[in-house]
Amino acid sequence: MHSAKEPSANAPETERGPRRRPGRLRRIGLPYLLLLPALLLELLVHLLPIVIGITMSFKELTQFFIRDWGAAPWSGLDNYEIAVDFDAPVGEALLHSFLVTCAFTLLSVGLCWLIGTTAAIYLQETFKGRGFLRALFLVPYALPVYAAVITWGFMFQRDNGLINHVLHDQLGLTDSAPFWLIGDNSFVALLTVSVWKGWPFAFLIMMAGLQNIPREMYEAAALDGAGMWQQIRRITLPSLRSVNQVLVLVLFLWTFNDFNTPYVLFGRSAPEAADLVSIHIYQSSFVTWNFGTGSAMSVLLLLFLLAVTGVYLWVTSRERKSAHV
Amino acid sequence: MSSVRTAAPPRGAAKPRSPMAAPRSFLWSRRIFLTLLTGFVLLPVFVMVSSSLKPLEDVSGKFRWMPSGLTIRPYIDIWKTVPLAKYFMNSLIVAGAATVCSVVIAVFAAYAVSRYQFRGKRVFTVTVLSTQMFPGILFLLPLFLMYVNIGNATGIALFGSRGGLILTYLTFSLPFSIWMLIGYFDSVPRDLDEAALVDGCGPIGALFKVVVPAAIPGIVAVAVYAFMTAWGEVLFASVMTNDATRTLAIGLQGYSTQNDVYWNQIMAASLVVSIPVVAGFLLLQRYLVAGLTAGAVK
């Protein structure tokens, strides 16, 4: 029943068949008519731009051709060669930013998952203040990204921020007040903000997933003498498996593509230690006006994400199959 | 397990998970974990609220936990330092319109997928879903050029206008909304709308008289999600708006000038723009969990 990646299997429909329906429901055109607005919009704002983006990546597209990008000369694979030439500055910077993004994504998704799942399990039980905490924990998710990230940016200010005040002035942990928004520390700052902002989504999905576990399972386990920790390990965690698979994938894609957090925290150019790919491409395209190379980088990023998602879905679906046999 | 009934527990009803008393180790670890987490979550909220009530000297110098004097000046000044009211209206128009359009379109699409068999159905759902994984930056350049070119060719101002932003935002939330509503509509018993059809409703009548009312939690959840997506978006707003159409996401940057950063005003403005979404979200969060249970987490 947990078919995570099948949006609609529609088993009942095929069993029951269309024959029981009154005639006009069978009008062939209707489903297409209903889909038409969604289809048109998807084409216009998603598929067409992708096609254009791929085309652009094969062109020598600089600011001179913005008004009429079709007139830009073809350059074949030049843009790709520039992007993946890891010995030259452009390629080296891209590789660096890609590796930073991978490290950042792994850590952020891992922490978000861990905190979100733990919180959801602890809040499964009724206790005083549970409803309040549940609402409170969703606040970071509900706050507009820029408002939350600006506040963190204020906290990370070197001279007038809360973080340095606590670390340096109050606890005396550092010799001098460190910079958080430039230099190597910026990775830590970005990660902190990303986890603060992201874990409530894991919490939300996990809470929803926990509601699907029938109470009888716990009752039966309790009758068999299983303690609470055992119940969590044997019932709660295994039951969350399929939810987990979707959650981790979605968290991965969102974190990897995140633009808002680094952009609001650092501005148009992020410090090297926190130079995420999305910001890097933005910088290459809109600050140095190299649209062609920027598009090639976007396409490479897309190929990478497609590959990861493909492998992930393949592995998890195989796992699920073997688990059901 | 029939999701509709288990999905939406009555307000305030929190069912105990286990009939056994929780052991001490569980209670203690829970206490510690939840205390730390509450501190982590509340810290920026505290900074936001307290700094918004401080005079400028307090936020320009060393951080102080307690303000030297409380003032509501920042809340008055925020409207003058930048045209916040205008940005607020822009955000409201853009996010509101994107939400309404996105929900209506998603309802029709999800109904088609949930209730009909047709050619290309799988292709449609897979395509819609896979757009979720595309990096926003991939759309930005081409959409930017498309809107500029459409503007040049037809005179329809998409670039820099609210319309262009609405169009862009509504498609951002559309895939997730369709996906979630398909799951939700699937959990509405088919007999209900078939009965309505037998009673003489058209398919659209059945949708609005039977399926939509039964799926309200899912629709509310989708609307909340769409609104939040549009209200918080930064990337496209930073490229596709001008002075007249700027949204809050970009407008808030106006509080830092060359010489001064008005941190107290920034915090006050952040709080003001957050309150509508946070309040709305907390009011509707039960629907969101219920919607996710039936729609996404299946």
Side-chain angles (χ1 to χ4, degrees), chain B residues 24 33 61 77 86 92 96 109 123 133 142-143 145 156 189 206 212 214 218 234 255 263 273 275:
Chain B
R24 212 161 256 254
F33 179 83
D77 292 340
K86 190 170 82 182
L92 210 59
V123 176
M133 80 176 60
L143 266 182
L145 295 183
I156 304 173
V212 166
V234 180
Y255 292 103
W263 281 114
V273 308
I275 284 170

PDB file of all heavy atoms in Angstrom, chain B residues 24 33 61 77 86 92 96 109 123 133 142-143 145 156 189 206 212 214 218 234 255 263 273 275:
ATOM      1  N   ARG B  24      11.591   5.737  31.986  1.00  0.00           N
ATOM      2  CA  ARG B  24      12.295   6.926  32.425  1.00  0.00           C
ATOM      3  C   ARG B  24      13.300   7.412  31.372  1.00  0.00           C
ATOM      4  O   ARG B  24      13.388   8.594  31.085  1.00  0.00           O
ATOM      5  CB  ARG B  24      13.052   6.569  33.701  1.00  0.00           C
ATOM      6  CG  ARG B  24      13.188   7.691  34.661  1.00  0.00           C
ATOM      7  CD  ARG B  24      13.519   7.079  36.004  1.00  0.00           C
ATOM      8  NE  ARG B  24      12.346   7.110  36.846  1.00  0.00           N
ATOM      9  CZ  ARG B  24      12.227   7.973  37.863  1.00  0.00           C
ATOM     10  NH1 ARG B  24      13.199   8.784  38.133  1.00  0.00           N
ATOM     11  NH2 ARG B  24      11.139   7.982  38.580  1.00  0.00           N
ATOM     12  N   PHE B  33      16.191  16.575  24.561  1.00  0.00           N
ATOM     13  CA  PHE B  33      16.166  16.844  23.118  1.00  0.00           C
ATOM     14  C   PHE B  33      15.211  17.982  22.782  1.00  0.00           C
ATOM     15  O   PHE B  33      15.566  18.922  22.069  1.00  0.00           O
ATOM     16  CB  PHE B  33      15.763  15.571  22.364  1.00  0.00           C
ATOM     17  CG  PHE B  33      15.676  15.747  20.879  1.00  0.00           C
ATOM     18  CD1 PHE B  33      16.809  15.669  20.095  1.00  0.00           C
ATOM     19  CD2 PHE B  33      14.456  16.011  20.262  1.00  0.00           C
ATOM     20  CE1 PHE B  33      16.736  15.841  18.718  1.00  0.00           C
ATOM     21  CE2 PHE B  33      14.371  16.189  18.891  1.00  0.00           C
ATOM     22  CZ  PHE B  33      15.515  16.100  18.121  1.00  0.00           C
ATOM     23  N   GLY B  61      25.931  48.530  17.911  1.00  0.00           N
ATOM     24  CA  GLY B  61      27.069  48.161  18.749  1.00  0.00           C
ATOM     25  C   GLY B  61      27.039  46.694  19.112  1.00  0.00           C
ATOM     26  O   GLY B  61      26.390  45.897  18.431  1.00  0.00           O
ATOM     27  N   ASP B  77       9.164  53.656  11.400  1.00  0.00           N
ATOM     28  CA  ASP B  77      10.113  54.060  10.357  1.00  0.00           C
ATOM     29  C   ASP B  77      10.153  53.112   9.162  1.00  0.00           C
ATOM     30  O   ASP B  77      10.491  53.536   8.062  1.00  0.00           O
ATOM     31  CB  ASP B  77      11.520  54.179  10.950  1.00  0.00           C
ATOM     32  CG  ASP B  77      11.616  55.341  11.931  1.00  0.00           C
ATOM     33  OD1 ASP B  77      10.754  56.240  11.844  1.00  0.00           O
ATOM     34  OD2 ASP B  77      12.528  55.333  12.776  1.00  0.00           O
ATOM     35  N   LYS B  86       4.084  49.298  -0.560  1.00  0.00           N
ATOM     36  CA  LYS B  86       3.981  48.942  -1.985  1.00  0.00           C
ATOM     37  C   LYS B  86       4.481  47.512  -2.216  1.00  0.00           C
ATOM     38  O   LYS B  86       3.822  46.719  -2.901  1.00  0.00           O
ATOM     39  CB  LYS B  86       4.804  49.940  -2.815  1.00  0.00           C
ATOM     40  CG  LYS B  86       4.585  49.817  -4.301  1.00  0.00           C
ATOM     41  CD  LYS B  86       5.218  50.963  -5.057  1.00  0.00           C
ATOM     42  CE  LYS B  86       6.693  50.736  -5.268  1.00  0.00           C
ATOM     43  NZ  LYS B  86       7.360  51.847  -5.959  1.00  0.00           N
ATOM     44  N   LEU B  92       1.466  40.492  -2.067  1.00  0.00           N
ATOM     45  CA  LEU B  92       0.126  39.970  -1.823  1.00  0.00           C
ATOM     46  C   LEU B  92      -0.580  39.645  -3.144  1.00  0.00           C
ATOM     47  O   LEU B  92      -1.175  38.576  -3.300  1.00  0.00           O
ATOM     48  CB  LEU B  92      -0.676  41.018  -1.040  1.00  0.00           C
ATOM     49  CG  LEU B  92      -1.750  40.510  -0.107  1.00  0.00           C
ATOM     50  CD1 LEU B  92      -1.160  39.588   0.942  1.00  0.00           C
ATOM     51  CD2 LEU B  92      -2.452  41.682   0.572  1.00  0.00           C
ATOM     52  N   GLY B  96      -1.092  35.857  -4.012  1.00  0.00           N
ATOM     53  CA  GLY B  96      -2.514  35.520  -4.005  1.00  0.00           C
ATOM     54  C   GLY B  96      -2.981  35.004  -5.353  1.00  0.00           C
ATOM     55  O   GLY B  96      -3.612  33.942  -5.437  1.00  0.00           O
ATOM     56  N   ALA B 109      -6.572  19.199 -13.146  1.00  0.00           N
ATOM     57  CA  ALA B 109      -5.620  18.206 -13.631  1.00  0.00           C
ATOM     58  C   ALA B 109      -5.655  16.948 -12.774  1.00  0.00           C
ATOM     59  O   ALA B 109      -5.677  15.819 -13.288  1.00  0.00           O
ATOM     60  CB  ALA B 109      -4.213  18.798 -13.644  1.00  0.00           C
ATOM     61  N   VAL B 123       2.850   9.468 -18.919  1.00  0.00           N
ATOM     62  CA  VAL B 123       3.824  10.448 -19.397  1.00  0.00           C
ATOM     63  C   VAL B 123       3.591  11.784 -18.696  1.00  0.00           C
ATOM     64  O   VAL B 123       4.515  12.439 -18.231  1.00  0.00           O
ATOM     65  CB  VAL B 123       3.720  10.626 -20.928  1.00  0.00           C
ATOM     66  CG1 VAL B 123       4.674  11.713 -21.411  1.00  0.00           C
ATOM     67  CG2 VAL B 123       4.004   9.312 -21.617  1.00  0.00           C
ATOM     68  N   MET B 133      12.707  18.327 -10.024  1.00  0.00           N
ATOM     69  CA  MET B 133      14.123  18.159  -9.734  1.00  0.00           C
ATOM     70  C   MET B 133      14.993  19.173 -10.478  1.00  0.00           C
ATOM     71  O   MET B 133      16.172  19.244 -10.256  1.00  0.00           O
ATOM     72  CB  MET B 133      14.563  16.739 -10.070  1.00  0.00           C
ATOM     73  CG  MET B 133      14.832  16.517 -11.536  1.00  0.00           C
ATOM     74  SD  MET B 133      15.459  14.878 -11.852  1.00  0.00           S
ATOM     75  CE  MET B 133      14.125  13.876 -11.248  1.00  0.00           C
ATOM     76  N   PRO B 142      16.568  31.100 -19.511  1.00  0.00           N
ATOM     77  CA  PRO B 142      15.654  31.023 -20.650  1.00  0.00           C
ATOM     78  C   PRO B 142      14.357  31.782 -20.434  1.00  0.00           C
ATOM     79  O   PRO B 142      13.890  32.459 -21.349  1.00  0.00           O
ATOM     80  CB  PRO B 142      15.357  29.522 -20.770  1.00  0.00           C
ATOM     81  CG  PRO B 142      16.455  28.849 -20.070  1.00  0.00           C
ATOM     82  CD  PRO B 142      16.893  29.769 -18.979  1.00  0.00           C
ATOM     83  N   LEU B 143      13.793  31.709 -19.224  1.00  0.00           N
ATOM     84  CA  LEU B 143      12.543  32.433 -18.988  1.00  0.00           C
ATOM     85  C   LEU B 143      12.773  33.928 -19.119  1.00  0.00           C
ATOM     86  O   LEU B 143      11.957  34.647 -19.701  1.00  0.00           O
ATOM     87  CB  LEU B 143      12.017  32.125 -17.586  1.00  0.00           C
ATOM     88  CG  LEU B 143      11.007  30.994 -17.484  1.00  0.00           C
ATOM     89  CD1 LEU B 143      10.536  30.844 -16.053  1.00  0.00           C
ATOM     90  CD2 LEU B 143       9.808  31.257 -18.379  1.00  0.00           C
ATOM     91  N   LEU B 145      14.977  35.397 -21.007  1.00  0.00           N
ATOM     92  CA  LEU B 145      15.050  35.716 -22.438  1.00  0.00           C
ATOM     93  C   LEU B 145      13.690  35.593 -23.111  1.00  0.00           C
ATOM     94  O   LEU B 145      13.308  36.428 -23.936  1.00  0.00           O
ATOM     95  CB  LEU B 145      16.055  34.798 -23.133  1.00  0.00           C
ATOM     96  CG  LEU B 145      17.511  34.971 -22.703  1.00  0.00           C
ATOM     97  CD1 LEU B 145      18.411  34.057 -23.511  1.00  0.00           C
ATOM     98  CD2 LEU B 145      17.949  36.416 -22.863  1.00  0.00           C
ATOM     99  N   ILE B 156       3.260  42.381 -24.924  1.00  0.00           N
ATOM    100  CA  ILE B 156       2.778  41.937 -23.607  1.00  0.00           C
ATOM    101  C   ILE B 156       3.957  42.001 -22.641  1.00  0.00           C
ATOM    102  O   ILE B 156       4.953  41.310 -22.814  1.00  0.00           O
ATOM    103  CB  ILE B 156       2.249  40.488 -23.658  1.00  0.00           C
ATOM    104  CG1 ILE B 156       1.150  40.357 -24.713  1.00  0.00           C
ATOM    105  CG2 ILE B 156       1.728  40.064 -22.286  1.00  0.00           C
ATOM    106  CD1 ILE B 156       0.706  38.934 -24.930  1.00  0.00           C
ATOM    107  N   PRO B 189     -13.856   8.197  -1.930  1.00  0.00           N
ATOM    108  CA  PRO B 189     -14.481   7.017  -2.538  1.00  0.00           C
ATOM    109  C   PRO B 189     -15.148   7.354  -3.867  1.00  0.00           C
ATOM    110  O   PRO B 189     -15.887   8.332  -3.974  1.00  0.00           O
ATOM    111  CB  PRO B 189     -15.532   6.602  -1.500  1.00  0.00           C
ATOM    112  CG  PRO B 189     -15.084   7.228  -0.227  1.00  0.00           C
ATOM    113  CD  PRO B 189     -14.290   8.439  -0.566  1.00  0.00           C
ATOM    114  N   ALA B 206     -20.006  16.950 -10.608  1.00  0.00           N
ATOM    115  CA  ALA B 206     -19.584  15.949  -9.631  1.00  0.00           C
ATOM    116  C   ALA B 206     -18.298  16.376  -8.948  1.00  0.00           C
ATOM    117  O   ALA B 206     -18.112  16.193  -7.745  1.00  0.00           O
ATOM    118  CB  ALA B 206     -19.384  14.595 -10.324  1.00  0.00           C
ATOM    119  N   VAL B 212     -14.510  17.887  -4.587  1.00  0.00           N
ATOM    120  CA  VAL B 212     -13.843  19.033  -3.965  1.00  0.00           C
ATOM    121  C   VAL B 212     -14.220  19.186  -2.486  1.00  0.00           C
ATOM    122  O   VAL B 212     -13.336  19.292  -1.636  1.00  0.00           O
ATOM    123  CB  VAL B 212     -14.112  20.333  -4.773  1.00  0.00           C
ATOM    124  CG1 VAL B 212     -13.735  21.568  -3.970  1.00  0.00           C
ATOM    125  CG2 VAL B 212     -13.331  20.300  -6.072  1.00  0.00           C
ATOM    126  N   ALA B 214     -15.138  16.966  -0.417  1.00  0.00           N
ATOM    127  CA  ALA B 214     -14.561  15.869   0.360  1.00  0.00           C
ATOM    128  C   ALA B 214     -13.055  16.006   0.501  1.00  0.00           C
ATOM    129  O   ALA B 214     -12.456  15.410   1.387  1.00  0.00           O
ATOM    130  CB  ALA B 214     -14.910  14.526  -0.289  1.00  0.00           C
ATOM    131  N   GLY B 218      -6.984  18.574   1.671  1.00  0.00           N
ATOM    132  CA  GLY B 218      -5.920  18.500   0.684  1.00  0.00           C
ATOM    133  C   GLY B 218      -5.805  19.786  -0.112  1.00  0.00           C
ATOM    134  O   GLY B 218      -4.700  20.262  -0.389  1.00  0.00           O
ATOM    135  N   VAL B 234      12.882  34.157  -3.970  1.00  0.00           N
ATOM    136  CA  VAL B 234      13.850  35.239  -4.076  1.00  0.00           C
ATOM    137  C   VAL B 234      14.485  35.324  -5.469  1.00  0.00           C
ATOM    138  O   VAL B 234      14.609  36.406  -6.038  1.00  0.00           O
ATOM    139  CB  VAL B 234      14.983  35.067  -3.029  1.00  0.00           C
ATOM    140  CG1 VAL B 234      15.981  36.197  -3.151  1.00  0.00           C
ATOM    141  CG2 VAL B 234      14.422  35.010  -1.628  1.00  0.00           C
ATOM    142  N   TYR B 255      16.904  48.243   3.377  1.00  0.00           N
ATOM    143  CA  TYR B 255      17.206  48.805   4.689  1.00  0.00           C
ATOM    144  C   TYR B 255      18.690  48.898   4.973  1.00  0.00           C
ATOM    145  O   TYR B 255      19.092  49.452   5.981  1.00  0.00           O
ATOM    146  CB  TYR B 255      16.525  48.002   5.795  1.00  0.00           C
ATOM    147  CG  TYR B 255      15.035  48.133   5.763  1.00  0.00           C
ATOM    148  CD1 TYR B 255      14.236  47.123   5.255  1.00  0.00           C
ATOM    149  CD2 TYR B 255      14.432  49.283   6.224  1.00  0.00           C
ATOM    150  CE1 TYR B 255      12.867  47.249   5.211  1.00  0.00           C
ATOM    151  CE2 TYR B 255      13.062  49.430   6.181  1.00  0.00           C
ATOM    152  CZ  TYR B 255      12.280  48.402   5.670  1.00  0.00           C
ATOM    153  OH  TYR B 255      10.928  48.546   5.621  1.00  0.00           O
ATOM    154  N   TRP B 263      19.449  47.683  11.338  1.00  0.00           N
ATOM    155  CA  TRP B 263      19.092  46.316  11.736  1.00  0.00           C
ATOM    156  C   TRP B 263      17.770  46.266  12.492  1.00  0.00           C
ATOM    157  O   TRP B 263      17.006  45.313  12.333  1.00  0.00           O
ATOM    158  CB  TRP B 263      20.211  45.696  12.579  1.00  0.00           C
ATOM    159  CG  TRP B 263      21.347  45.197  11.760  1.00  0.00           C
ATOM    160  CD1 TRP B 263      22.621  45.680  11.743  1.00  0.00           C
ATOM    161  CD2 TRP B 263      21.318  44.108  10.824  1.00  0.00           C
ATOM    162  NE1 TRP B 263      23.397  44.965  10.847  1.00  0.00           N
ATOM    163  CE2 TRP B 263      22.622  43.993  10.268  1.00  0.00           C
ATOM    164  CE3 TRP B 263      20.336  43.226  10.389  1.00  0.00           C
ATOM    165  CZ2 TRP B 263      22.962  43.047   9.323  1.00  0.00           C
ATOM    166  CZ3 TRP B 263      20.673  42.274   9.434  1.00  0.00           C
ATOM    167  CH2 TRP B 263      21.970  42.188   8.915  1.00  0.00           C
ATOM    168  N   VAL B 273       6.391  41.169   7.817  1.00  0.00           N
ATOM    169  CA  VAL B 273       6.057  40.388   6.621  1.00  0.00           C
ATOM    170  C   VAL B 273       5.875  38.913   6.952  1.00  0.00           C
ATOM    171  O   VAL B 273       5.303  38.159   6.172  1.00  0.00           O
ATOM    172  CB  VAL B 273       7.107  40.530   5.507  1.00  0.00           C
ATOM    173  CG1 VAL B 273       7.372  41.984   5.203  1.00  0.00           C
ATOM    174  CG2 VAL B 273       8.399  39.818   5.833  1.00  0.00           C
ATOM    175  N   ILE B 275       4.410  37.724   9.843  1.00  0.00           N
ATOM    176  CA  ILE B 275       3.227  37.437  10.650  1.00  0.00           C
ATOM    177  C   ILE B 275       2.047  36.886   9.837  1.00  0.00           C
ATOM    178  O   ILE B 275       1.459  35.875  10.223  1.00  0.00           O
ATOM    179  CB  ILE B 275       2.840  38.669  11.500  1.00  0.00           C
ATOM    180  CG1 ILE B 275       3.824  38.756  12.673  1.00  0.00           C
ATOM    181  CG2 ILE B 275       1.417  38.579  12.017  1.00  0.00           C
ATOM    182  CD1 ILE B 275       3.743  40.025  13.476  1.00  0.00           C
TER     183      ILE B 275
END
